[in-house]
Protein backbone atom coordinates (compact mmCIF):
# COMPACT_ATOMS: atom_id res chain seq x y z
CA UNK A 1 0.00 0.00 0.00
CA UNK A 2 1.37 3.40 -0.87
CA UNK A 3 0.99 6.26 1.56
CA UNK A 4 -0.08 9.51 -0.02
CA UNK A 5 -0.35 11.72 3.06
CA UNK A 6 -0.32 11.76 6.81
CA UNK A 7 -3.61 11.41 8.63
CA UNK A 8 -3.94 13.18 11.98
CA UNK A 9 -6.40 11.65 14.41
CA UNK A 10 -7.29 14.22 17.07
CA UNK A 11 -8.87 12.83 20.22
CA UNK A 12 -10.12 15.21 22.90
CA UNK A 13 -10.34 13.34 26.19
CA UNK A 14 -11.87 14.20 29.55
CA UNK A 15 -11.92 11.29 32.01
CA UNK A 16 -12.25 8.76 29.18
CA UNK A 17 -9.75 6.28 30.58
CA UNK A 18 -12.15 3.35 30.54
CA UNK A 19 -12.47 3.63 26.72
CA UNK A 20 -9.04 4.95 25.84
CA UNK A 21 -7.05 1.70 25.47
CA UNK A 22 -9.60 0.23 23.07
CA UNK A 23 -9.69 3.47 21.07
CA UNK A 24 -5.91 3.62 20.73
CA UNK A 25 -5.61 -0.10 19.95
CA UNK A 26 -8.01 0.40 17.05
CA UNK A 27 -5.54 2.86 15.52
CA UNK A 28 -2.75 0.31 15.76
CA UNK A 29 -4.90 -2.20 13.87
CA UNK A 30 -5.21 0.07 10.83
CA UNK A 31 -3.41 -0.95 7.67
CA UNK A 32 -2.67 2.63 6.60
CA UNK A 33 0.70 3.38 8.25
CA UNK A 34 1.09 7.13 7.79
CA UNK A 35 -0.90 8.54 10.71
CA UNK A 36 -0.41 10.34 13.98
CA UNK A 37 -2.69 10.37 16.99
CA UNK A 38 -2.90 13.57 18.99
CA UNK A 39 -4.61 13.10 22.34
CA UNK A 40 -5.59 16.31 24.07
CA UNK A 41 -6.19 15.64 27.74
CA UNK A 42 -8.77 18.22 28.78
CA UNK A 43 -7.91 18.21 32.48
CA UNK A 44 -8.77 14.57 33.21
CA UNK A 45 -8.65 13.37 36.79
CA UNK A 46 -8.77 9.65 35.96
CA UNK A 47 -6.04 7.41 34.52
CA UNK A 48 -6.23 8.77 30.95
CA UNK A 49 -2.73 10.23 31.07
CA UNK A 50 -1.12 7.00 32.25
CA UNK A 51 -2.90 4.94 29.60
CA UNK A 52 -1.88 7.27 26.81
CA UNK A 53 1.71 7.48 28.03
CA UNK A 54 2.06 3.69 27.68
CA UNK A 55 1.06 3.97 24.01
CA UNK A 56 3.28 7.00 23.47
CA UNK A 57 6.30 5.13 24.85
CA UNK A 58 5.78 2.25 22.40
CA UNK A 59 4.95 4.20 19.22
CA UNK A 60 6.13 7.72 18.29
CA UNK A 61 2.97 8.30 16.23
CA UNK A 62 1.14 8.96 19.51
CA UNK A 63 1.42 12.52 20.83
CA UNK A 64 0.08 13.65 24.20
CA UNK A 65 -1.01 17.23 24.96
CA UNK A 66 -2.44 18.44 28.24
CA UNK A 67 -4.63 21.47 28.91
CA UNK A 68 -6.80 22.82 31.69
CA UNK A 69 -10.42 21.79 31.32
CA UNK A 70 -11.76 23.97 28.51
CA UNK A 71 -14.14 21.70 26.65
CA UNK A 72 -13.89 19.52 23.55
CA UNK A 73 -13.96 22.36 21.01
CA UNK A 74 -10.93 24.07 22.53
CA UNK A 75 -9.20 20.68 22.79
CA UNK A 76 -9.82 19.94 19.10
CA UNK A 77 -8.59 23.38 18.10
CA UNK A 78 -5.42 22.90 20.15
CA UNK A 79 -4.87 19.55 18.43
CA UNK A 80 -5.25 21.10 14.99
CA UNK A 81 -2.89 23.94 15.94
CA UNK A 82 -0.18 21.47 16.92
Amino acid sequence: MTSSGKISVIIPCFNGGRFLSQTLESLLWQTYPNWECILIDDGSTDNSREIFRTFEEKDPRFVYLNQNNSGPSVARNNGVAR
Side-chain angles (χ1 to χ4, degrees):
M1 170 181 249
T2 59
S3 302
S4 58
K6 182 183 271 187
I7 302 294
S8 295
V9 179
I10 299 171
I11 303 174
C13 180
F14 178 73
N15 290 339
R18 64 181 177 184
F19 304 109
L20 194 53
S21 289
Q22 184 177 3
T23 300
L24 301 177
E25 285 289 338
S26 73
L27 285 171
L28 292 173
W29 296 333
Q30 301 306 308
T31 57
Y32 187 79
N34 196 12
W35 56 265
E36 68 178 344
C37 175
I38 303 167
L39 178 86
I40 301 90
D41 185 348
D42 193 28
S44 295
T45 58
D46 66 354
N47 63 342
S48 296
R49 177 185 179 130
E50 291 79 16
I51 292 169
F52 196 81
R53 290 292 193 190
T54 62
F55 282 83
E56 188 178 45
E57 290 171 3
K58 295 176 188 175
D59 193 322
R61 296 177 292 180
F62 291 104
V63 178
Y64 176 82
L65 302 175
N66 192 355
Q67 69 179 30
N68 291 330
N69 185 259
S70 303
S73 296
V74 172
R76 282 187 207 99
N77 289 340
N78 286 335
V80 169
R82 182 205 169 275

